[in-house]
Amino acid sequence: MKKVLIFTDGSCLGNPGPGGWAAVLRLDNTTHRREICGGFRLTTNNRMEVWAAIQALSALRETCEVTLYTDSQYLRNAVEKDWLGQWQRNGWRKADKKPVLNVDLWQKLMPLMHAHDLKLRWLKGHAGHEENERCDFLARECAARTGLPPDEIFEKQK
């Protein structure tokens, strides 16, 4: 099974505001790497963090052993503390009975996570890690573009 390292980040210029996401995918122990990124005209930082993970895992063409690095506590806690499982069991409601935000994205992410041997690792953002800094740069660059498409689900909720 191929071993892949994935680094992700999301960014928003205002929150909500124009947003960008980015991922760097590296085949472990090789120099092979791929960068992917994009953005939306109105979204949130948390949506972009999760969207980056969705896009990165979707880019894999076969089942892989994946270590996904994120600086998002939101993504980290949802996975590591099994918030996702709890939310799903509770009909996508939090412990306080309020609706879970970004259900559309969590529902896309969950099967992608289960399709791979996934380990999620948290990185401190803006701490000089080369791949995390690259993702941050790409995400901010994408958020600043003109003519971004709508984040249709988010915009319908506004």
Side-chain angles (χ1 to χ4, degrees):
M1 189 179 312
K2 290 181 183 175
K3 293 183 180 183
V4 178
L5 304 176
I6 296 176
F7 301 84
T8 63
D9 201 12
S11 180
C12 251
L13 306 178
N15 197 21
W21 61 270
V24 173
L25 295 84
R26 281 193 355 218
L27 198 54
D28 199 19
N29 296 320
T30 72
T31 58
H32 183 72
R33 68 194 303 277
R34 179 178 173 202
E35 296 179 349
I36 57 176
C37 59
F40 295 97
R41 70 182 179 199
L42 180 65
T43 192
T44 66
N45 186 68
N46 280 342
R47 286 184 68 80
M48 293 297 88
E49 295 283 1
V50 178
W51 190 249
I54 290 167
Q55 292 302 304
L57 292 171
S58 294
L60 300 175
R61 295 186 184 126
E62 61 190 75
T63 300
C64 297
E65 187 177 316
V66 176
T67 305
L68 190 149
Y69 294 89
T70 180
D71 63 6
S72 168
Q73 289 285 1
Y74 180 61
L75 178 58
R76 174 194 192 187
N77 289 336
V79 174
E80 288 185 355
K81 294 182 177 182
D82 194 37
W83 290 357
L84 286 174
Q86 291 171 9
W87 293 338
Q88 189 175 35
R89 286 187 295 278
N90 292 335
W92 295 103
R93 298 235 171 240
K94 299 184 289 183
D96 64 6
K97 306 297 184 208
K98 292 182 182 175
V100 171
L101 297 176
N102 307 313
V103 172
D104 61 311
L105 299 182
W106 295 122
Q107 288 175 335
K108 287 180 182 179
L109 180 62
M110 290 176 72
L112 294 168
M113 290 178 5
H114 297 300
H116 302 282
D117 180 5
L118 178 72
K119 294 180 197 114
L120 191 125
R121 299 285 184 258
W122 183 77
L123 281 175
K124 183 176 181 181
H126 310 286
H129 186 280
E130 180 181 351
E131 302 292 20
N132 180 258
E133 296 293 339
R134 179 65 180 160
C135 287
D136 179 67
F137 172 82
L138 291 170
R140 285 185 290 108
E141 186 178 70
C142 287
R145 292 180 182 164
T146 58
L148 292 171
D151 180 345
E152 293 180 8
I153 303 280
F154 178 75
E155 289 189 27
K156 283 180 188 174
Q157 295 170 353
K158 289 316 270 165

